[in-house]
Amino acid sequence: MTPHGKLTRRDLLVGRFRRAVEHARASNVASTESAQTKAVIQGRQCLAYRNLVCTTCYERCPEAGALVIDSGLPRVAADKCTGCAICRDVCPAPVNAVLMVGAKAEGGVR
Amino acid sequence: MELERREFVKLAAMSAAVGAASSMNAGKACAAPVDPPPAPDRPDIPGVQWDKAPCRFCGVGCHVQVGVKDGKVAAIAGDRQADVNKGLLCVKGYHVGMILYGEDRLTTPMVKRNGKLEPATWDEAIDVVARRIMKSGKKFGMYISGQSTVPEGYAAQKLVKGALANNHIEANARLCMASAVTGFLSTYGVDEPASCYDDLDACDTLIMWGNNPAEMHPVLFSRVVDRIARGEKIEIIDIGTRRTRTTDQADHYLEMRPHGDLAIANCLMQQLIENDTYDKAFVEKHCNFRADQDPRETAEALMDHDAYVAHVAKKGHSGLFGKPITFAQFKKLVSYYTPEKTEQLAGVPAEQLRMLAKVFADPKRRIVSMWCMGMNQHTAGTAVNNLVHGVHLLSGHWGRPGDGPQSLTGQPSACGTVREVGTLAHALPGGRLVAKQPHRAFCEKAWKLPAGHMNPKPGYHTVKMFEQLCTPTDAGGDIDTVWVQVTNPGQSLPNTKKLYKAKADLPDKFLIVSEVYPTASTELADVVLPAAMWVEKNGVYGNSERRTQQWFKMVDPPGDARDDCWQTLAVARRLFELGHPGLRGTDGKWLFTIEDENGDEIEYWKWENYYKINVDKHLFDEYRQFTFMKHKNVAPYDVLVKVRGLRWPVVETADGEFRETRWRFVEGDDVYVEKGRGFQFYHSTSKDDRAQVWFRPHHQPAELPDERHDFMLTTGRVLEHWHTGTMTMRIPQLRRAMPGAYVEMNPDDARERGISNGEVVAITTPRGEMRLPVWTNGRATPQRGHLFIPFFDESAQINDLTLDAIDPFSKQPDYKKSAAKVTRISEFAPPRQGGNP
Ligand code: SF4
């Protein structure tokens, strides 16, 4: 909370979607490794790639610019992704379209 | 694939590995998509049996393949043989199987004793319901749904309007489709779209009138996005009050004020006439002109707009079908709506209006207009439906593939069960009306009722029925019992505190609720009947494009839950046993008797026998005879079993096949059009095979922002949730993706008031207050001065705050326009010193 009682976007997420965020934070604390993981959208599972509108991951990502929508398709900006995995938690695709990969693998995944 | 397999089984959930290949990736004109592998027809999983069913959710009516393993729905796949969705599903559809497996399914009948709901046996519960209906007589009302199956609707209809001779039967489609119905009736003389989804594959321009199909009818919208992705040139024009995900795909966005649609449609007609670009040949052959009153009855031959509006205000309207007017009068009236005048009324720049008029002026373009709740939940809903049909008729953009008005439904069987079976207070099956003696006589004969048995007076429409329920008996509240099936009025009626929740203080009023989960509706129930849902029972649905779809029961309902249709029939049987005279036919038998080949009565009202025969088939084939009068012929049940739905009128060909109709009133496709006529509106209200082009003036919404309530509040759905969320909120993936309600606000409004994104504010309307977080950069952006709140969230029931004003013809409420105030919580109550915030 800011001194004026205003909520930041992050606070909104903490408030409304507390569980997902706490889970993500807890796992970040518990494992230094996970801090290095990044989200990757798998096009073959992603609903937006089927010409169905879906922007859930983008809407709920707490890091400005980490998830972008390009012509309707979500994409992770790896340099901004903190690895919090909220996008994975909220992805409504029948087979989850977000894969969390280790930082080392990052170069190999687009 | 291995991983996916495991995921499947573990979740006992939904397969998405199938479907969509046809619509994916087809050269999407954007960031390089990954090429998906071609999908199999349905996944081959050991021990899984597959069968077809329509999706349980929206009016698009996609078909799914349901995979059953060990008596449970274990997988869902898009049905590639289905024309509607060709293998694709939306996010809700892929998860549809999980609606059956929420943890809190209702499994035991409950009856209120000493103010508390207690478990009861089915025999007890059915007896309580039947005796209450006996006692209640004409004070009984039944409230069903556009999600009820056709046989459920037909059985309820026959029980209430037939046996009980009581016309208080309504369905929730009153809240969503009624203005479309009155629009069709007063334009073409018969309900339901003449066009079909194939038009989306052929149109050059798609116009959305207050419609957001990207979220609400996703698979349908993807048909168009697919074409764009393939490089086809389709112009999308979005007319609305907020920028949505649909707007993102649009070439033009016309942002209008609420009720601006009335002015815009009039303006298009003004332009077509002024520029002499209307289709004279089509109009001369196929159209008449119509209005509320005919000025020729007065001294003035031609009235100008304001004089006419004053004339109607004095005289009142002359009913749904209005009065004929001349083309000269029509021209004079619409001439008022110049682009400049319309800009003032609707807030849309004159230039954009001229652009849109040019689209309609081009005879070669194929134009589809699409609408749903934006035009229907409207206190001038009938009028604006008339006007949009009028624009298409006047411009001749009518009846060619890809060229015509397309009204969508929100529920899977609003058309099939409500509009076709006629489960509304004034209607009878197959387009018949309770007020018409020959129509009642037909039903009496078909149902073996004594002549003159049925009641000629229409019952109460939905808002009235619940108003009467919630009004104390001694203050004239003459509905004392309502039986609700397959819908959740406690959350979905407008102004729910007045129209539903007020029942809590009236101990002599009685609510029976058949439900699958605890809801806002069961909360006030005196009897709760646990129901089977979707593929736990047989069913037939009818979607937005006149497509009748059948499915079979695939799994058992949990615990003691039973089919809604069985519940209705068991009560009907109990009423017969209790000696209710209406349940005894002229042949002395129970009205719902089914006999075996030897003429012996089958005791199917006993649950253990219910599935020994196919009750759905008996009811559906009985209902079928009602569908011929208005040329809405549905196919026989056994034919529907074999197909992914058929669009009526379904006609039997010389070789005994059944053929569907894609475009009604169009020669060559609709067999009821006489040769050489081209188009023939054979149910015309003017009895001359013509459609009516209406003049309907612009007027303001029932509630407007003022100093106290300075915002306009709109409500609606979101992609992930279906209606009141009773099903979709129990699907973890969907709940996680969209966990709760919020209020969408224009960022500039928020900034001006110092409200930040995520801040919880108080929303107040004249009906109450609610606290919600603000979302300024969400899925949609309302125009300045507007708010949007979705209605799916049980913990934030926004309909406690909505207005219950209705359209004068359709009696459909307008959920979209309530005046509201936004207050920062800090302004309201200063934070306690030193305490927690
Ligand atoms: S919710 Fe509607 S669009 Fe989505 S799969 Fe079901 S029928 Fe199709």
Side-chain angles (χ1 to χ4, degrees):
Chain A
M1 281 272 203
T2 65
H4 311 292
K6 288 183 195 170
L7 282 151
T8 62
R9 180 162 169 76
R10 180 141 202 136
D11 288 327
L12 164 68
L13 290 161
V14 174
R16 296 254 353 126
F17 317 128
R18 189 179 302 269
R19 230 186 307 149
V21 176
E22 275 170 5
H23 161 80
R25 284 183 176 161
S27 55
N28 276 350
V29 175
S31 145
T32 49
E33 226 171 305
S34 63
Q36 292 164 13
T37 63
K38 306 275 180 200
V40 174
I41 311 282
Q42 295 178 283
R44 60 190 294 270
Q45 312 295 9
C46 174
L47 294 168
Y49 283 73
R50 300 176 188 200
N51 291 340
L52 291 165
V53 166
C54 184
T55 47
T56 304
C57 54
Y58 159 79
E59 288 159 11
R60 301 277 294 280
C61 171
E63 287 303 319
L67 255 155
V68 285
I69 300 286
D70 245 348
S71 306
L73 305 178
R75 182 170 58 76
V76 177
D79 54 331
K80 305 226 172 84
C81 174
T82 63
C84 74
I86 290 173
C87 54
R88 180 168 170 93
D89 285 348
V90 300
C91 173
V95 176
N96 202 302
V98 183
L99 198 65
M100 301 306 296
V101 297
K104 282 194 201 96
E106 193 187 321
V109 189
R110 225 190 68 89
Chain B
M1 198 62 204
E2 250 324 289
L3 176 80
E4 286 167 29
R5 280 282 160 74
R6 269 186 278 127
E7 210 161 9
F8 250 74
V9 180
K10 192 180 88 214
L11 296 173
M14 308 308 101
S15 135
V18 267
S22 64
S23 71
M24 289 160 84
N25 102 72
K28 192 161 181 140
C30 48
V34 179
D35 267 10
D41 244 14
R42 38 194 195 194
D44 180 22
I45 312 171
V48 172
Q49 294 281 327
W50 295 89
D51 202 356
K52 60 148 188 167
C55 172
R56 176 63 180 74
F57 301 121
C58 87
V60 172
C62 299
H63 261 88
V64 298
Q65 281 287 327
V66 183
V68 174
K69 192 177 181 206
D70 304 329
K72 282 198 133 194
V73 173
I76 293 291
D79 192 329
R80 290 158 66 83
Q81 286 182 44
D83 280 343
V84 171
N85 53 310
K86 303 184 178 81
L88 188 69
L89 296 173
C90 82
V91 66
K92 294 184 289 295
Y94 283 119
H95 295 292
V96 63
M98 285 158 97
I99 59 176
L100 306 177
Y101 303 115
E103 279 168 10
D104 52 346
R105 272 298 290 269
L106 299 172
T107 54
T108 315
M110 307 282 275
V111 175
K112 200 170 257 177
R113 297 190 185 100
N114 306 319
K116 235 184 106 227
L117 279 176
E118 287 174 358
T121 65
W122 268 111
D123 283 349
E124 285 166 346
I126 294 293
D127 185 62
V128 167
V129 172
R131 285 177 193 277
R132 180 75 196 190
I133 293 173
M134 283 281 259
K135 183 171 147 232
S136 215
K138 298 287 183 261
K139 292 183 179 172
F140 170 68
M142 186 144 185
Y143 185 61
I144 66 165
S145 166
Q147 303 153 62
S148 300
T149 67
V150 170
E152 282 164 8
Y154 178 71
Q157 174 82 310
K158 184 168 164 179
L159 170 65
V160 179
K161 291 214 184 91
L164 305 181
N166 166 353
N167 292 329
H168 300 313
I169 174 167
E170 276 278 287
N172 64 0
R174 176 75 73 182
L175 311 176
C176 89
M177 292 315 308
S179 295
V181 175
T182 46
F184 280 112
L185 285 173
S186 50
T187 304
Y188 307 105
V190 65
D191 185 25
E192 292 201 35
S195 54
C196 62
Y197 297 164
D198 301 36
D199 290 328
L200 295 173
D201 305 334
C203 64
D204 304 307
T205 301
L206 175 64
I207 305 176
M208 254 75 61
W209 295 80
N211 194 25
N212 179 13
E215 285 199 71
M216 312 319 159
H217 299 90
V219 167
L220 217 46
F221 194 59
S222 81
R223 269 169 101 140
V224 179
V225 180
D226 270 1
R227 290 181 57 205
I228 296 171
R230 282 197 295 270
E232 289 183 47
K233 181 88 199 77
I234 302 147
E235 185 182 39
I236 298 185
I237 301 174
D238 183 25
I239 307 173
T241 62
R242 63 197 261 266
R243 286 180 173 274
T244 64
R245 290 286 185 246
T246 303
T247 322
D248 292 346
Q249 306 276 349
D251 300 276
H252 303 280
Y253 172 52
L254 278 59
E255 190 162 87
M256 64 164 205
R257 288 193 200 114
H259 278 205
D261 41 9
L262 294 163
I264 295 169
N266 272 310
C267 175
L268 296 176
M269 299 201 270
Q270 182 269 349
Q271 286 284 292
L272 287 163
I273 294 173
E274 169 154 312
N275 301 334
D276 208 26
T277 46
Y278 69 98
D279 187 335
K280 280 169 220 80
F282 188 90
V283 169
E284 248 157 53
K285 267 175 93 176
H286 305 297
C287 300
N288 287 324
F289 292 86
R290 210 95 180 160
D292 272 330
Q293 289 294 349
D294 183 0
R296 281 174 297 185
E297 290 166 4
T298 68
E300 261 173 286
L302 288 186
M303 278 187 177
D304 75 7
H305 181 272
D306 293 351
Y308 173 81
V309 170
H311 174 60
V312 174
K314 205 166 106 215
K315 240 187 135 184
H317 59 69
S318 56
L320 176 60
F321 300 115
K323 294 270 175 75
I325 56 170
T326 60
F327 175 69
Q329 177 65 76
F330 179 82
K331 182 177 167 181
K332 176 120 185 134
L333 291 171
V334 295
S335 70
Y336 176 82
Y337 296 92
T338 60
E340 285 67 31
K341 181 74 201 172
T342 304
E343 175 170 345
Q344 284 172 20
L345 295 170
V348 174
E351 206 181 302
Q352 279 191 315
L353 296 164
R354 290 205 166 85
M355 175 278 297
L356 190 55
K358 281 209 187 90
V359 170
F360 278 99
D362 179 353
K364 289 206 204 70
R365 280 200 92 71
R366 307 236 162 172
I367 308 168
V368 168
S369 280
M370 218 154 71
W371 70 92
C372 197
M373 290 310 102
M375 270 173 47
N376 295 345
Q377 293 180 338
H378 197 306
T379 49
T382 306
V384 69
N385 270 267
N386 287 144
L387 288 171
V388 173
H389 290 299
V391 171
H392 277 268
L393 290 165
L394 194 67
S395 62
H397 287 288
W398 205 98
R400 293 182 303 174
D403 214 17
Q406 173 75 58
S407 147
L408 301 176
T409 60
Q411 300 191 83
S413 200
C415 286
T417 304
V418 183
R419 294 162 75 167
E420 291 156 34
V421 182
T423 50
L424 293 168
H426 64 286
L428 291 169
R432 291 173 179 77
L433 296 170
V434 295
K436 287 204 172 163
Q437 196 278 331
H439 292 181
R440 291 195 306 280
F442 183 92
C443 297
E444 283 160 352
K445 191 150 174 269
W447 290 339
K448 301 202 178 110
L449 290 164
H453 174 83
M454 287 170 65
N455 182 352
K457 195 171 156 238
Y460 289 143
H461 60 80
T462 296
V463 169
K464 185 79 180 161
M465 184 194 284
F466 281 99
E467 198 175 296
Q468 294 303 91
L469 176 75
C470 290
T471 302
T473 309
D474 53 17
D478 60 359
I479 291 287
D480 71 2
T481 304
V482 173
W483 183 359
V484 178
Q485 276 189 345
V486 209
T487 182
N488 182 14
Q491 193 175 335
S492 61
L493 283 168
N495 200 356
T496 31
K497 281 189 194 156
K498 172 181 157 195
L499 294 179
Y500 195 88
K501 290 165 189 167
K503 184 263 169 199
D505 306 323
L506 304 171
D508 66 324
K509 305 279 180 146
F510 200 82
L511 263 171
I512 304 151
V513 180
S514 302
E515 249 303 0
V516 294
Y517 289 112
T519 62
S521 302
T522 57
E523 225 159 80
L524 294 186
D526 299 278
V527 174
V528 177
L529 303 175
M533 74 191 296
W534 195 46
V535 296
E536 292 166 355
K537 60 187 184 186
N538 288 341
V540 181
Y541 272 173
N543 81 349
S544 292
E545 57 162 356
R546 296 174 274 111
R547 185 184 290 275
T548 317
Q549 307 157 303
Q550 174 278 348
W551 78 91
F552 286 122
K553 171 179 173 166
M554 298 174 208
V555 296
D556 285 327
D560 244 348
R562 295 180 186 178
D563 300 31
D564 296 279
C565 199
W566 175 83
Q567 296 176 18
T568 303
L569 294 166
V571 166
R573 181 68 195 185
R574 188 74 194 120
L575 284 165
F576 176 72
E577 290 163 1
L578 292 171
H580 193 298
L583 270 301
R584 187 178 297 277
T586 42
D587 56 1
K589 295 179 187 163
W590 180 45
L591 232 50
F592 294 90
T593 297
I594 299 176
E595 289 167 350
D596 64 16
E597 314 82 73
N598 308 323
D600 293 331
E601 187 172 33
I602 302 170
E603 298 188 339
Y604 71 96
W605 60 88
K606 296 180 177 161
W607 176 245
E608 61 273 21
N609 297 334
Y610 191 66
Y611 274 95
K612 290 197 176 140
I613 52 168
N614 185 341
V615 178
D616 261 36
K617 176 173 146 67
H618 282 276
L619 289 170
F620 189 83
D621 285 340
E622 180 182 312
Y623 155 66
R624 199 174 157 246
Q625 63 180 312
F626 288 85
T627 64
F628 304 141
M629 181 186 83
K630 293 275 183 182
H631 306 94
K632 299 183 176 187
N633 320 17
V634 293
Y637 188 88
D638 288 334
V639 172
L640 292 175
V641 167
K642 290 182 237 146
V643 293
R644 305 296 191 265
L646 284 175
R647 289 170 281 192
W648 59 257
V650 179
V651 285
E652 194 168 358
T653 57
D655 52 4
E657 293 290 307
F658 285 86
R659 176 187 164 284
E660 65 170 1
T661 302
R662 291 190 294 174
W663 292 284
R664 279 165 95 198
F665 313 129
V666 178
E667 187 177 344
D669 206 47
D670 183 342
V671 295
Y672 297 113
V673 174
E674 289 159 22
K675 244 198 158 120
R677 297 291 292 269
F679 303 101
Q680 187 184 3
F681 300 102
Y682 46 72
H683 285 294
S684 168
T685 54
S686 45
K687 313 265 180 263
D688 54 3
D689 293 335
R690 288 161 177 263
Q692 315 299 322
V693 178
W694 276 80
F695 172 70
R696 298 278 201 189
H698 170 267
H699 63 81
Q700 293 293 349
E703 193 167 88
L704 280 172
D706 56 18
E707 274 153 38
R708 258 175 66 88
H709 300 95
D710 52 350
F711 277 92
M712 187 63 118
L713 165 66
T714 264
T715 64
R717 273 175 16 196
V718 293
L719 171 65
E720 293 86 348
H721 292 299
W722 200 73
H723 288 187
T724 59
T726 49
M727 295 181 282
T728 48
M729 281 292 264
R730 286 174 172 85
I731 299 173
Q733 287 90 332
L734 298 178
R735 194 180 56 234
R736 277 199 299 267
M738 182 51 80
Y742 49 84
V743 51
E744 244 169 35
M745 200 172 183
N746 188 291
D748 294 335
D749 284 330
R751 199 172 311 121
E752 249 174 37
R753 287 168 168 72
I755 297 169
S756 40
N757 193 23
E759 179 173 341
V760 175
V761 296
I763 306 297
T764 320
T765 73
R767 290 148 299 274
E769 184 210 300
M770 183 170 294
R771 295 186 180 204
L772 288 166
V774 169
W775 202 10
T776 56
N777 55 353
R779 240 170 239 187
T781 310
Q783 63 183 291
R784 291 295 301 266
H786 282 231
L787 307 169
F788 170 85
I789 301 176
F791 75 102
F792 69 85
D793 189 348
E794 200 177 16
S795 67
Q797 295 177 25
I798 189 56
N799 280 322
D800 288 353
L801 270 60
T802 48
L803 181 70
D804 56 350
I806 55 176
D807 176 276
F809 303 106
S810 70
K811 317 296 183 197
Q812 177 169 353
D814 185 339
Y815 292 79
K816 304 283 188 193
K817 292 151 216 131
S818 304
K821 180 169 79 165
V822 179
T823 319
R824 297 189 60 201
I825 308 288
S826 55
E827 283 167 24
F828 241 160
R832 276 183 297 135
Q833 291 284 316
N836 293 325

